[in-house]
Coordinates of all heavy atoms in Angstrom, one line a residue:
Q1 N 75.8 145.3 23.7 CA 75.8 144.1 22.8 C 75.8 142.8 23.6 O 75.1 141.8 23.2 CB 77.0 144.2 21.9 CG 76.9 145.3 20.8 CD 78.2 145.3 19.9 OE1 79.0 146.2 20.0 NE2 78.4 144.3 19.1
A2 N 76.6 142.8 24.6 CA 76.7 141.5 25.4 C 75.4 141.1 26.0 O 75.0 139.9 26.0 CB 77.8 141.7 26.5
M3 N 74.6 142.1 26.5 CA 73.3 141.8 27.1 C 72.3 141.3 26.1 O 71.5 140.4 26.3 CB 72.8 143.0 27.9 CG 73.6 143.4 29.1 SD 73.8 142.1 30.3 CE 72.1 142.1 31.0
Q4 N 72.4 141.8 24.9 CA 71.6 141.4 23.8 C 71.9 139.9 23.4 O 71.1 139.1 23.2 CB 71.7 142.3 22.5 CG 71.2 143.6 22.7 CD 71.6 144.5 21.5 OE1 72.6 144.4 20.9 NE2 70.8 145.5 21.2
M5 N 73.2 139.7 23.3 CA 73.7 138.4 22.8 C 73.5 137.3 23.9 O 73.1 136.2 23.6 CB 75.2 138.4 22.5 CG 75.5 139.2 21.2 SD 77.3 139.5 21.0 CE 77.9 137.9 20.8
R6 N 73.7 137.6 25.1 CA 73.7 136.6 26.2 C 72.3 136.3 26.7 O 71.9 135.2 26.9 CB 74.6 137.0 27.3 CG 74.6 136.0 28.5 CD 76.0 135.9 29.1 NE 76.6 134.6 28.8 CZ 77.7 134.1 29.5 NH1 78.3 134.8 30.4 NH2 78.2 132.9 29.2
Y7 N 71.5 137.4 26.8 CA 70.2 137.2 27.5 C 69.0 137.7 26.7 O 67.8 137.7 27.1 CB 70.2 137.9 28.9 CG 71.2 137.4 29.8 CD1 72.2 138.3 30.3 CD2 71.3 136.0 30.1 CE1 73.2 137.8 31.2 CE2 72.3 135.6 30.9 CZ 73.2 136.4 31.5 OH 74.2 136.0 32.3
G8 N 69.3 138.3 25.5 CA 68.2 138.9 24.7 C 67.6 140.1 25.4 O 66.4 140.4 25.2
V9 N 68.4 140.8 26.2 CA 67.9 142.0 26.9 C 68.5 143.2 26.2 O 69.7 143.4 26.0 CB 68.3 142.0 28.4 CG1 68.0 143.4 29.0 CG2 67.6 140.9 29.1
E10 N 67.6 144.1 25.8 CA 68.0 145.4 25.1 C 68.0 146.5 26.2 O 67.0 146.9 26.7 CB 67.1 145.8 24.0 CG 67.3 147.2 23.4 CD 68.7 147.4 23.0 OE1 69.1 146.8 22.0 OE2 69.4 148.2 23.6
I11 N 69.2 147.0 26.6 CA 69.3 148.0 27.6 C 69.2 149.4 27.1 O 69.0 150.3 27.8 CB 70.6 147.8 28.5 CG1 71.8 148.0 27.6 CG2 70.6 146.5 29.2 CD1 73.1 148.1 28.4
G12 N 69.2 149.5 25.7 CA 69.0 150.8 25.1 C 70.3 151.7 25.2 O 71.4 151.3 25.5
P13 N 70.0 153.0 24.9 CA 71.2 153.9 24.7 C 71.9 154.4 26.0 O 73.0 154.9 25.9 CB 70.5 155.1 24.0 CG 69.1 155.1 24.6 CD 68.7 153.7 24.7
G14 N 71.2 154.2 27.1 CA 71.8 154.6 28.4 C 71.8 156.2 28.5 O 71.3 156.8 27.5
A15 N 72.2 156.7 29.6 CA 72.1 158.1 29.8 C 73.5 158.7 29.8 O 74.4 158.2 30.4 CB 71.5 158.4 31.2
A16 N 73.7 159.7 29.0 CA 75.0 160.4 28.8 C 75.4 161.0 30.2 O 74.5 161.3 31.0 CB 74.9 161.5 27.8
P17 N 76.7 161.2 30.5 CA 77.8 161.1 29.5 C 78.5 159.8 29.5 O 79.2 159.5 28.5 CB 78.8 162.2 30.0 CG 78.6 162.2 31.5 CD 77.1 161.9 31.7
N18 N 78.3 158.9 30.5 CA 79.2 157.7 30.5 C 78.5 156.6 29.8 O 79.0 155.4 29.9 CB 79.5 157.3 31.9 CG 78.3 157.0 32.8 OD1 77.2 157.5 32.5 ND2 78.5 156.1 33.8
A19 N 77.5 156.8 29.0 CA 76.9 155.7 28.3 C 76.9 156.0 26.8 O 76.1 155.4 26.0 CB 75.4 155.5 28.7
A20 N 77.7 156.9 26.3 CA 77.8 157.1 24.9 C 78.1 155.8 24.1 O 79.0 155.1 24.5 CB 78.9 158.2 24.6
F21 N 77.3 155.6 23.1 CA 77.4 154.3 22.4 C 78.5 154.5 21.3 O 78.3 155.3 20.4 CB 76.1 153.9 21.7 CG 76.1 152.6 21.1 CD1 75.9 151.4 21.9 CD2 76.3 152.4 19.7 CE1 75.9 150.2 21.3 CE2 76.3 151.1 19.2 CZ 76.1 150.0 20.0
G22 N 79.6 153.8 21.5 CA 80.7 154.0 20.6 C 80.7 152.9 19.4 O 79.7 152.4 19.1
K23 N 81.9 152.6 19.0 CA 82.1 151.7 17.9 C 81.6 150.3 18.3 O 81.9 149.8 19.4 CB 83.5 151.6 17.5 CG 83.9 150.7 16.4 CD 85.4 150.7 16.1 CE 85.7 149.7 15.0 NZ 87.2 149.7 14.7
P24 N 80.8 149.6 17.4 CA 80.3 148.3 17.8 C 81.5 147.3 18.0 O 82.6 147.4 17.3 CB 79.5 147.9 16.5 CG 79.1 149.2 15.9 CD 80.2 150.1 16.2
W25 N 81.3 146.4 18.9 CA 82.3 145.4 19.1 C 82.2 144.2 18.2 O 81.1 143.9 17.7 CB 82.2 144.8 20.6 CG 82.6 145.8 21.6 CD1 81.9 146.9 22.1 CD2 83.9 145.8 22.3 NE1 82.7 147.5 23.1 CE2 83.9 146.9 23.2 CE3 85.0 144.9 22.3 CZ2 84.9 147.2 24.1 CZ3 86.0 145.2 23.1 CH2 86.0 146.3 24.0
D26 N 83.3 143.5 18.0 CA 83.2 142.3 17.2 C 82.5 141.2 18.0 O 82.9 140.9 19.1 CB 84.7 141.9 16.9 CG 84.8 140.5 16.1 OD1 83.8 140.2 15.3 OD2 85.7 139.8 16.4
E27 N 81.5 140.6 17.4 CA 80.7 139.6 18.2 C 81.5 138.4 18.5 O 81.3 137.8 19.6 CB 79.5 139.2 17.4 CG 78.4 140.3 17.3 CD 77.1 139.8 16.7 OE1 77.0 138.6 16.4 OE2 76.2 140.7 16.6
A28 N 82.5 138.1 17.7 CA 83.4 136.9 18.0 C 84.2 137.2 19.3 O 84.4 136.3 20.1 CB 84.3 136.6 16.9
F29 N 84.6 138.4 19.5 CA 85.4 138.8 20.7 C 84.4 138.7 21.9 O 84.8 138.1 22.9 CB 85.9 140.2 20.6 CG 86.4 140.8 21.9 CD1 87.7 140.4 22.3 CD2 85.6 141.6 22.7 CE1 88.2 140.9 23.5 CE2 86.1 142.0 23.9 CZ 87.4 141.7 24.4
I30 N 83.2 139.2 21.8 CA 82.3 139.1 22.9 C 82.0 137.6 23.3 O 82.0 137.3 24.5 CB 80.9 139.8 22.6 CG1 81.2 141.3 22.4 CG2 79.9 139.6 23.7 CD1 80.0 142.1 21.9
R31 N 81.9 136.8 22.3 CA 81.7 135.3 22.6 C 82.9 134.7 23.3 O 82.8 133.9 24.2 CB 81.3 134.6 21.3 CG 80.0 134.9 20.7 CD 79.6 133.9 19.6 NE 78.3 134.3 19.0 CZ 78.3 135.1 17.9 NH1 79.4 135.5 17.3 NH2 77.1 135.4 17.4
R32 N 84.1 135.2 22.9 CA 85.3 134.7 23.5 C 85.4 135.1 25.0 O 85.8 134.4 25.8 CB 86.5 135.2 22.8 CG 86.8 134.5 21.4 CD 88.2 134.7 20.9 NE 88.5 136.1 20.7 CZ 88.3 136.7 19.5 NH1 87.7 136.0 18.5 NH2 88.6 138.0 19.3
T33 N 84.9 136.3 25.3 CA 84.9 136.7 26.7 C 83.9 135.8 27.5 O 84.2 135.5 28.6 CB 84.5 138.2 26.8 OG1 83.1 138.4 26.4 CG2 85.4 139.1 26.1
F34 N 82.7 135.6 26.9 CA 81.8 134.7 27.6 C 82.5 133.3 27.9 O 82.4 132.8 29.0 CB 80.5 134.4 26.8 CG 79.7 135.6 26.5 CD1 78.7 135.6 25.5 CD2 79.8 136.8 27.3 CE1 77.9 136.7 25.3 CE2 79.0 137.9 27.1 CZ 78.0 137.8 26.0
D35 N 83.0 132.7 26.8 CA 83.6 131.4 26.9 C 84.8 131.4 27.9 O 84.9 130.4 28.7 CB 84.0 130.9 25.5 CG 82.9 130.7 24.6 OD1 81.7 130.6 25.1 OD2 83.1 130.6 23.4
G36 N 85.6 132.4 27.8 CA 86.8 132.4 28.6 C 86.5 132.5 30.1 O 87.1 131.8 31.0
V37 N 85.6 133.4 30.5 CA 85.3 133.6 31.9 C 84.5 132.4 32.4 O 84.8 131.9 33.5 CB 84.5 134.9 32.1 CG1 83.9 135.1 33.5 CG2 85.3 136.2 31.7
D38 N 83.6 131.9 31.7 CA 82.8 130.8 32.1 C 83.7 129.5 32.3 O 83.6 128.8 33.3 CB 81.7 130.4 31.1 CG 80.6 131.4 31.1 OD1 80.5 132.3 32.0 OD2 79.7 131.4 30.2
A39 N 84.6 129.3 31.4 CA 85.5 128.2 31.5 C 86.4 128.3 32.7 O 86.7 127.3 33.4 CB 86.4 128.1 30.2
A40 N 86.9 129.5 33.0 CA 87.8 129.7 34.1 C 87.1 129.4 35.5 O 87.7 129.0 36.4 CB 88.3 131.2 34.2

């Protein structure tokens, strides 16, 4: 989700097992991570 939101890059489903696509994240939380790290 973050790569889609920040750069418009779709990385796709990834390769199992460590890329299992779980519950979607709240987009507001993702934006807060961008803003917080960039501001720091």
Side-chain angles (χ1 to χ4, degrees):
Q1 287 179 253
M3 294 303 286
Q4 290 170 333
M5 291 171 60
R6 180 144 248 196
Y7 302 124
V9 171
E10 172 53 69
I11 61 173
N18 64 331
F21 189 81
K23 180 181 177 181
W25 287 80
D26 176 32
E27 290 190 359
F29 170 81
I30 295 176
R31 291 192 185 93
R32 286 197 298 273
T33 64
F34 295 162
D35 293 344
V37 172
D38 289 350

